[in-house]
Structures are given as structure tokens and as C-alpha cells.
Amino acid sequence: MMLRKLGLGALGALTACLTVLEALLAWTWLRGMRYVAEYGAEENPYAAEDMEIAGICALILLPLFLAALAWAVCRIILWSKKRAGARSER
């Protein structure tokens, strides 16, 4: 219900924030994977744990990101159709 009241600007801002957060988590996960592959988990066991946590958070956040993106696209399409319908009635 709360998403229904959000405007296009707020929905776009939410999608942009989720995109940035998802990109940062994925970047951290990939950087940790490269470190563990290069130096091994025995060199720094915390790097392996951080990598796993960032990967899990990115995977948990991914459906939320995709849902917000799909919702924004649907709202924009419906808004443009509604606006086109209003123009054709004039």
C-alpha cells in the first residue's frame, strides 16, 4: 500500500539508492573473492568472512532491487499511457 502512494520521483530515488547499494555489495564481494583467490583464506580469514557476508547481503537485496525496478518501470509505462490518453481526448 505504501508503494502505491509513492510518486515517480520517490520511486526513482528508491530504485537509484538500491542500485548503488547493490553495486557496492557486489563490488565488495568480487574484491573479496579476488583477494581470497590470490592470497588464500589462511592469509586473512576475515577477508573470506567479509566476502561471504557481502555476497549473502547482495543476494538478499537483489529481489528487492528487482521489484523496485519493475515497479518503477510499470509506473512509468502506466503514467505515459495515461498521459497519452489524456492528450488524445483533447
Side-chain angles (χ1 to χ4, degrees):
M1 285 295 168
M2 185 177 166
L3 283 178
R4 183 173 247 164
K5 294 181 182 182
L6 283 177
L8 289 177
L11 199 55
L14 175 67
T15 305
C17 289
L18 287 173
T19 302
V20 169
L21 188 60
E22 184 71 31
L24 287 173
L25 285 171
W27 180 71
T28 304
W29 178 60
L30 290 173
R31 192 179 66 186
M33 284 185 62
R34 189 180 75 190
Y35 182 86
V36 170
E38 192 171 322
Y39 298 109
E42 291 80 24
E43 178 78 24
N44 186 359
Y46 297 113
E49 286 181 14
D50 291 345
M51 176 204 55
E52 290 173 359
I53 291 171
I56 290 170
C57 290
L59 287 175
I60 289 172
L61 189 62
L62 185 63
L64 181 61
F65 161 71
L66 292 175
L69 184 63
W71 185 260
V73 169
C74 287
R75 287 286 306 251
I76 289 170
I77 290 171
L78 291 175
W79 177 73
S80 64
K81 285 185 177 184
K82 182 180 174 184
R83 196 164 179 201
R87 274 193 223 141
S88 64
E89 290 177 3
R90 290 184 194 172

